[in-house]
Every structure is written in C-alpha cells, then in structure tokens.
Amino acid sequence: MNSTCHAIALMGPGDRWGHMGDGGWSGGMWLGGALMALLWVAAITVLVLLALRVSADLRTAAHPKDRAGTENAQRILAERYAHGEIDTQEYEERLAKLR
C-alpha cells in the first residue's frame, strides 16, 4: 500500500471532504443555499411589485388628463351655448356625448 491509502484508512467517517461535504449539506452549505433561495424569492417579489406599481402609476397618470380634457370640452361647449353659437338641442346632444 502506498502512503495515500494509509492516510485514508486512518481517517474516520467525518474526516473526509468530498463534493458537498461528502454527500451531505455539512460545513454550513445548507445556510448558504437557504440564503440564496431567499435572496431570489425577495428579488423576484420586488420586481413584481415594482412592475405592478409602475403599471398602476401609468393608469392613474392617464386618467386625470382625460378628465381635464372632458372638463375643458364641457366648458367650451357651455361658452358656445352661452354666446348663442349652438342651440339647446345641439348643446344637450354634445354634452351627453362628452359624459
């Protein structure tokens, strides 16, 4: 027998280090794996929440502009009616379409 075989024969079952701690999650590798999994879950959660928030902000930003445009159109329509440019029937029809 050579010297390497003698050294291996003298080691106990917990003295060897193979891949992944001799086939098990020894040496704290379980902690690193758990932390890595939690990191990925947190990163994906943050990305999803960020995407939802941006989407909601875009929808909210579009709504006030539409509302302001409708209010502006109603104001102009009322001014035209007040100046006699359109009659009551036309005013009511256009106002109904704006709402």
Side-chain angles (χ1 to χ4, degrees), residues 45-61:
T45 301
V46 166
L47 288 175
V48 168
L49 291 175
L50 184 63
L52 290 174
R53 183 170 184 156
V54 167
S55 174
D57 288 347
L58 290 175
R59 279 184 271 130
T60 303

Side-chain angles (χ1 to χ4, degrees), residues 18-67:
H19 179 70
M20 302 284 287
D22 198 25
W25 283 81
S26 61
M29 292 185 71
W30 64 271
L31 180 62
L35 290 176
M36 185 59 72
L38 288 174
L39 177 72
W40 279 108
V41 169
I44 292 170
T45 301
V46 166
L47 288 175
V48 168
L49 291 175
L50 184 63
L52 290 174
R53 183 170 184 156
V54 167
S55 174
D57 288 347
L58 290 175
R59 279 184 271 130
T60 303
H63 182 67
K65 292 177 185 174
D66 294 342
R67 179 76 175 151

